[in-house]
Amino acid sequence: MPSGELVTFVFQRWMKDGTYDRASVDRLDQLRPHFARAGMVSARLGLEQARATVSALETIGLPAAVMAASGRVLTSNSLLEEMTEMFLPTAYGGMAIANASANALFQRAILENRNDFAIRSIPVAANESRPALVIHLLPLRRAAHDIFSGADILVAATAVSASSVVPSPTLLAGLFDLTPSEARLAAALSQGRPLKDAASDLKITVKTGRTHLERIFAKTGTSQQSQLVALLKSTEPLNRR
């Protein structure tokens, strides 16, 4: 197409009818410019739909972008574009996270999305200029492509701020991709309870509790229970200011 994008049209016929003859191919070639224009219009309409959706997410205060399976950013809203210290442009229209450890998880999630279509949530520690973040990658499948034409991943950033409120297991599961058992343990630990007591309350063994805790550490980017409690106490639902 004039934009440099490639659109492939496939024309099928019954095998019993034989292969296409030269005259049929010539007739289809005459239609090629019209197919190219139709493909370009379709792609542009799909992109406009994606832009409208990420703009809608902006109205509720959610930085967001949509990406192709290759990691190329198709469109993003102004909230995400303003986070220049967090989201960095890369070659071929890609995107990276400034935090090295979070970026390693981010790039791996993009790569793995091509096969398992799993939701990923990546924690990013706070620094002097911004609060802690959780970056979510949501695979776009089936009917979602009606809205995000040509896109494969929705990226959204959730800010977390200091709070003394103990988070609910449902909120923790949504933010960090915790299983129900992991979320319940994390919620118990966020109250300052020792692992042994939390495991007893949940009617699991201490060994199982330690296994859950190791997985929680991996998913939240922490390595000590004190770090985990500090992070979990900072989580709260998104508030529109």
Side-chain angles (χ1 to χ4, degrees), residues 9-29:
F9 292 86
V10 179
F11 299 91
Q12 297 176 313
R13 66 189 299 174
W14 293 107
M15 292 182 65
K16 63 183 178 61
D17 295 331
T19 60
Y20 282 100
D21 53 50
R22 184 69 252 175
S24 297
V25 174
D26 289 342
R27 283 196 296 272
L28 290 174
D29 276 342

Side-chain angles (χ1 to χ4, degrees), residues 177-197:
D177 294 338
L178 304 182
T179 66
S181 297
E182 293 166 354
R184 287 192 292 270
L185 178 62
L189 294 176
S190 69
Q191 300 175 23
R193 298 180 63 75
L195 176 61
K196 181 179 179 180
D197 293 348

Side-chain angles (χ1 to χ4, degrees), residues 176-179 181-182 208-222:
F176 300 107
D177 294 338
L178 304 182
T179 66
S181 297
E182 293 166 354
T208 299
R210 289 198 184 99
T211 299
H212 287 344
L213 184 57
E214 289 300 320
R215 292 174 181 166
I216 294 169
F217 283 158
K219 292 179 179 180
T220 58
T222 57

